[in-house]
């Protein structure tokens, strides 16, 4: 005879109700505290703002889950770059400085290995934080912000930029010293001028602000949807609506004004990452400044190098991610026919470098998928224990 199924242990009805009420109260209090701390509304407006925040968060999470299945963000094939187009006039040449963001909460949750007890603890902690912030504009999953390590990485880069050791400056090429001056801002800015921009995701904006706080305070920070990360993960969805200022962590220096002309909100569900790369190149060409300092993301930067460096180039940035808070500068040439080109000889690694080789589809990727599936099953079982079998369960 078949063995009877082992029933899951159930909490008493009173205990379940008490836990549910306690969690709901904690979420409301935590969300209210965050809303008031960021001066999003007054105390009197909280009864209206918190429900609106919760509805907006639920809709964005639903959109994110749909995007994981339906999004065409990565469904493209980059056209190989054959070099400078013959017969097309050069319309702009810019010096672009890529700055990858520091480590995020999402990175901490999912990119640190899958062995217990570390993995379940990190993920459980992140999910609990998400629940406690559900009625606020903040989140740890959507538009994941810098964690404590990421903030330290940003400040370490800022310290390097502000006080580069003399022995390093002596061996640094003149072009790299000019790149540092553009990144630093202030009196040493190159004559052609500098514009600072970032993707519309908070971790990139915060890193760009941390790197040169004095320079950021003096000029607008341009927020660009064209720099939004190329991925279907929910952490690549922006919490910042079109035309609004981002909600950054406490202690991050912020500019007096934000440039919102390029902030059109979240990437489209059926948009493509390669189209945003072209849009960013065109935006650079239209700017009057010589230098463009960019706060952004590893996959956007990697795809940009793959698209605009020569097809025969073996530059590591075409296959490997920049490290957190790494800095790479290069010349971007844009032509009248809309084509763009990056001369490999112009590329300078100013700070940091690149991670190890990419292992697409390897064991780590498979373990990550299994870990996420196991987490979903575990969360469902935990809810089953807390909430009980439901009214229609057999007695």
């Amino acid at each position: 005879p078949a063995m009877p199924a082992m029933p899951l242990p159930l909490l008493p009805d009173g205990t379940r109700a008490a836990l549910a009420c306690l969690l709901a109260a904690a979420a409301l209090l935590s969300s209210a505290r965050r809303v008031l701390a960021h001066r999003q509304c007054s105390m009197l407006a909280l009864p209206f703002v918190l429900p609106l925040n919760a509805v907006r968060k639920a809709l964005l999470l639903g959109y994110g889950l749909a995007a994981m299945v339906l999004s065409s963000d990565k469904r493209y094939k980059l056209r190989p770059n054959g070099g400078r187009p013959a017969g097309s006039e050069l319309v702009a040449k810019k010096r672009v400085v890529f700055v990858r963001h520091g480590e995020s909460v999402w990175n901490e949750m999912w990119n640190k290995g899958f062995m217990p007890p570390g993995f379940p603890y990190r993920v459980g902690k992140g999910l609990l934080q998400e629940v406690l912030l559900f009625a606020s504009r903040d989140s740890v999953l959507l538009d994941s912000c810098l964690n404590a390590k990421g903030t330290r990485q940003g400040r370490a880069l800022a310290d390097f930029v502000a006080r580069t050791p003399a022995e390093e400056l002596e061996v640094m090429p003149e072009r790299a010293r000019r790149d540092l001056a553009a990144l630093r801002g202030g009196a040493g800015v190159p004559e052609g001028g500098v514009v600072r921009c970032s993707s519309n995701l908070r971790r990139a904006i915060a890193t760009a602000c941390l790197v040169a706080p004095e320079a950021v305070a003096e000029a607008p920070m341009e927020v660009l949807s064209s720099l939004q990360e190329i991925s279907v993960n929910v952490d690549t969805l922006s919490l910042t609506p079109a035309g609004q200022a981002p909600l950054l962590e406490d202690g991050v220096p912020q500019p007096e004004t934000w440039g919102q002309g390029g902030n059109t909100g979240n990437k489209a569900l059926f948009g493509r990452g390669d189209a945003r790369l072209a849009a960013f190149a065109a935006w650079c060409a239209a700017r009057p400044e010589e230098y463009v300092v960019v706060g952004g993301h590893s996959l956007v930067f990697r795809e940009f190098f793959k698209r605009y460096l020569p097809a025969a180039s073996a530059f590591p940035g075409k296959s490997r991610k920049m490290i957190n808070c790494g800095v790479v500068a290069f010349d971007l040439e844009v032509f009248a026919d809309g084509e763009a080109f990056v001369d490999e000889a112009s590329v300078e690694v100013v700070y940091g470098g690149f991670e190890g080789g990419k292992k697409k589809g390897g064991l780590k990727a498979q373990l990550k998928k299994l870990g996420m599936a196991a987490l979903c099953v575990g969360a469902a079982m935990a809810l089953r224990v807390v909430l009980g079998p439901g009214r229609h369960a057999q007695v």
Side-chain angles (χ1 to χ4, degrees):
M3 293 290 293
M6 290 290 293
L8 288 172
L10 300 178
L11 296 174
D13 291 342
T15 304
R16 292 201 304 271
L19 284 175
C21 290
L22 183 62
L23 188 61
L28 285 174
L29 288 174
S30 179
S31 297
R33 177 177 174 274
R34 186 62 61 95
V35 167
L36 293 174
H38 286 96
R39 299 179 181 179
Q40 296 171 31
C41 72
S42 66
M43 181 75 76
L44 293 176
L46 278 177
F48 307 98
V49 171
L50 293 181
L52 289 175
N53 284 342
V55 170
R56 180 173 178 268
K57 184 79 67 66
L59 291 174
L60 194 54
L61 279 171
Y63 179 84
L65 293 175
M68 294 181 75
V69 178
L70 302 174
S71 174
S72 58
D73 203 39
K74 299 177 71 174
R75 296 176 187 172
Y76 60 84
K77 185 175 181 180
L78 289 175
R79 181 161 44 88
N81 193 303
R84 296 178 176 90
S88 185
E89 180 186 0
L90 177 68
V91 295
K93 183 175 181 179
K94 305 294 179 180
R95 186 69 177 170
V96 181
V97 184
F98 277 170
V99 182
R100 187 192 171 190
H101 65 78
E103 184 177 281
S104 69
V105 178
W106 179 275
N107 296 150
E108 181 182 1
M109 289 173 64
W110 299 105
N111 297 347
K112 298 286 188 179
F114 306 97
M115 297 300 293
F119 176 64
Y121 170 76
R122 293 192 307 272
V123 173
K125 176 185 173 183
L127 293 178
L128 178 59
Q129 288 176 315
E130 185 65 37
V131 170
L132 294 178
L133 295 173
F134 197 77
S136 74
R137 277 184 56 196
D138 205 351
S139 176
V140 298
L141 298 180
L142 297 163
D143 199 350
S144 189
C145 60
L146 296 179
N147 63 7
K149 182 179 178 180
T151 301
R152 290 195 300 270
Q153 291 170 335
R155 296 192 188 283
L157 173 56
D159 187 65
F160 173 82
V161 170
R163 291 176 287 277
T164 307
E167 59 271 18
E168 292 193 36
L169 284 173
E170 289 177 1
V171 299
M172 190 176 288
E174 173 62 26
R175 183 168 53 195
R177 290 199 290 269
R178 286 172 57 84
D179 296 335
L180 266 179
L183 193 55
R184 184 186 308 117
V189 169
E191 292 181 2
V194 179
V195 61
R196 299 175 186 276
C197 62
S198 171
S199 92
N200 56 350
L201 298 178
R202 296 180 299 163
R203 53 191 179 274
I205 300 173
T207 303
C209 290
L210 284 169
V211 168
E214 294 83 4
V216 166
E218 296 172 357
M221 173 72 71
E222 300 290 335
V223 180
L224 304 179
S225 296
S226 59
L227 288 169
Q228 195 167 353
E229 179 64 307
I230 300 173
S231 173
V232 298
N233 291 336
V234 295
D235 71 313
T236 67
L237 293 180
S238 176
L239 288 171
T240 305
Q244 294 189 22
L247 180 67
L248 301 181
E249 307 93 288
D250 295 335
V252 174
Q254 299 189 37
E256 291 187 7
T257 58
W258 296 94
Q260 298 287 2
N263 178 16
T264 57
N266 260 315
K267 54 190 176 183
L269 182 62
F270 299 113
R272 299 193 332 184
D274 59 340
R276 296 202 303 279
L277 298 179
F280 172 67
W283 183 88
C284 289
R287 295 294 306 191
E289 299 86 358
E290 177 187 359
Y291 278 78
V292 182
V293 175
V294 184
H297 307 274
S298 60
L299 298 182
V300 168
F301 293 165
R302 190 180 71 192
E303 294 295 283
F304 196 90
F305 286 132
K306 285 167 65 176
R307 174 64 183 89
Y308 296 116
L309 277 165
S313 168
F315 180 66
K318 295 175 69 175
S319 59
R320 292 154 55 187
K321 297 178 180 180
M322 290 170 58
I323 67 169
N324 289 121
C325 286
V327 181
V328 177
F330 56 90
D331 289 342
L332 175 66
E333 302 173 17
V334 183
F335 296 86
D337 62 358
E339 276 298 313
F341 177 75
V342 174
D343 185 354
E344 186 173 356
S346 73
V347 180
E348 293 283 355
V349 177
V350 180
Y351 181 83
F354 298 90
E355 296 179 354
K358 181 182 177 184
K359 299 179 180 178
K360 186 174 181 180
L363 179 61
K364 183 177 179 181
Q366 299 303 319
L367 286 175
K368 186 173 182 178
K369 292 179 181 179
L370 289 174
M372 294 183 73
L375 178 67
C376 292
V377 173
M381 293 180 66
L383 285 173
R384 170 73 164 75
V385 170
V386 173
L387 299 178
R391 291 185 307 164
H392 304 291
Q394 293 182 355
V395 180

